[in-house]
Amino acid sequence: MMRLCTKAALLGAVCLSFSANIVSSAHAQSGGGWFVPKASQPAAPAQAGRHAAPAPVAMPAAPADSQDAADQTPPVLPQPNIPAAPDVAKEAPPPAAIIGVISVGGVMRQSSAAVQIERVLGGRRDALAQDLQKEQAAWRDEQQTLQSQAKSMSSDQIQTRERALQARVMKAQRDFRNRNRIIQEAAQVSLNQIERELVQVIQKVSTAHGMNLVLHSEQVALHVDGQDITNEVAVQLNKVLPSVFIPDANVDPEELAKSGKMPTTADAQQQGPATGPAPVVNPAAGNQ
């Protein structure tokens, strides 16, 4: 049976980058990092007639890269002996290669379903970023109010207000992370439909042309127009899959999977690997 390269994720780096563009973390758009006030610390002894001022709200510092570990010499490890590989009996040669090429990125750019995913989930990502920015502004306003009222408040009152703000920040962080997770999982659900359909379409189109080997055009130095099936695959994909199912914004994809309303990725794993050709794979993706 014809195979299309080795078994791996069909979209490879293309789908990964496409998904990342749709569901890029909202905190990256809002200045980077979550906005978290410093943990409450024991109040320093106040000067006569004055109260301790609240600790300012601060952005957490990103963890520093460990350059020392990278500069260390690789360790010397044991290397036990291994048996010599025996000769293999001569077998029939494989059939002559009839090669086709395809640009998965080009197919995705022409896919109406991919455009739908980017539009819908891109809108949800933007809304998440805007809500995060509003919440961060509210935290800063609360901190400034607390600092301006510190002189008329006792240390206990200041610490109580700080703890309340800290609790609000922690709850908001959990909510925003959960919303971002739901967007990412909705993108996975949506892109997985394109991936599974694309495997079938590539198989049908390549078989129609008698091809038994399909490579990524981005990694082929030279080919002729008759070998490129990108546009033909895109046309067929739009015919059979003009749109995809995208979970509603208020629906958790994991809860939807538990509901039993539709097949899940766990069902596919229990059924074992599907028969038929393996998908086209980007060799670079396997090194990531």
Side-chain angles (χ1 to χ4, degrees), residues 8-286:
L10 170 67
L11 304 186
V14 175
C15 265
L16 290 176
S17 60
F18 182 82
S19 176
N21 289 336
I22 295 175
V23 297
S24 57
S25 299
H27 69 276
Q29 296 189 8
S30 57
W34 293 104
F35 179 78
V36 185
K38 290 182 178 178
S40 300
Q41 301 177 357
Q47 298 180 0
R50 299 182 63 182
H51 296 288
V57 178
M59 301 290 288
D65 293 332
S66 178
Q67 295 297 333
D68 294 339
D71 295 337
Q72 289 180 354
T73 303
V76 177
L77 301 176
Q79 184 171 305
N81 294 328
I82 59 173
D87 294 335
V88 178
K90 187 175 181 179
E91 299 182 10
I98 303 176
I99 301 175
V101 297
I102 186 172
S103 170
V104 177
V107 174
M108 295 294 287
R109 285 189 291 272
Q110 298 180 58
S111 169
S112 59
V115 172
Q116 172 201 9
I117 296 171
E118 185 172 13
R119 182 184 69 254
V120 174
L121 297 184
R124 295 179 190 177
R125 173 207 61 200
D126 293 341
L128 175 61
Q130 292 174 5
D131 291 346
L132 174 59
Q133 291 173 352
K134 291 178 182 178
E135 183 66 15
Q136 287 180 329
W139 298 339
R140 294 188 180 96
D141 291 343
E142 174 64 19
Q143 181 67 24
Q144 291 175 358
T145 299
L146 181 57
Q147 290 176 340
S148 64
Q149 297 176 353
K151 294 181 180 180
S152 60
M153 299 169 61
S154 67
S155 297
D156 290 342
Q157 290 175 326
I158 292 175
Q159 292 180 2
T160 299
R161 292 275 294 274
E162 285 183 330
R163 285 193 292 268
L165 177 57
Q166 179 72 22
R168 174 178 177 177
V169 170
M170 298 301 291
K171 180 181 182 302
Q173 283 187 350
R174 290 192 297 269
D175 293 342
F176 283 122
R177 279 195 292 264
N178 190 56
R179 286 177 60 184
N180 191 56
R181 174 188 62 80
I182 289 175
I183 294 175
Q184 292 188 39
E185 291 181 354
Q188 293 176 17
V189 171
S190 307
L191 289 169
N192 181 260
Q193 296 167 68
I194 298 180
E195 176 181 348
R196 289 184 290 128
E197 193 67 52
L198 190 52
V199 170
Q200 301 181 56
V201 173
I202 293 175
Q203 177 187 0
K204 300 297 184 182
V205 172
S206 58
T207 300
H209 289 281
M211 298 172 177
N212 57 14
L213 178 64
V214 178
L215 305 174
H216 282 276
S217 60
E218 293 84 357
Q219 291 156 339
V220 175
L222 177 66
H223 65 82
V224 297
D225 292 339
Q227 293 175 318
D228 194 329
I229 61 173
T230 299
N231 293 335
E232 187 174 351
V233 168
V235 170
Q236 292 297 323
L237 180 64
N238 285 333
K239 286 182 179 179
V240 298
L241 193 70
S243 62
V244 293
F245 168 77
I246 303 177
D248 292 336
N250 59 343
V251 174
D252 188 328
E254 295 184 18
E255 295 299 325
L256 181 60
K258 295 176 183 177
S259 69
K261 295 181 180 179
M262 61 182 63
T264 68
T265 52
D267 299 326
Q269 293 172 357
Q270 293 175 359
Q271 294 172 1
T275 59
V280 175
V281 60
N282 186 338

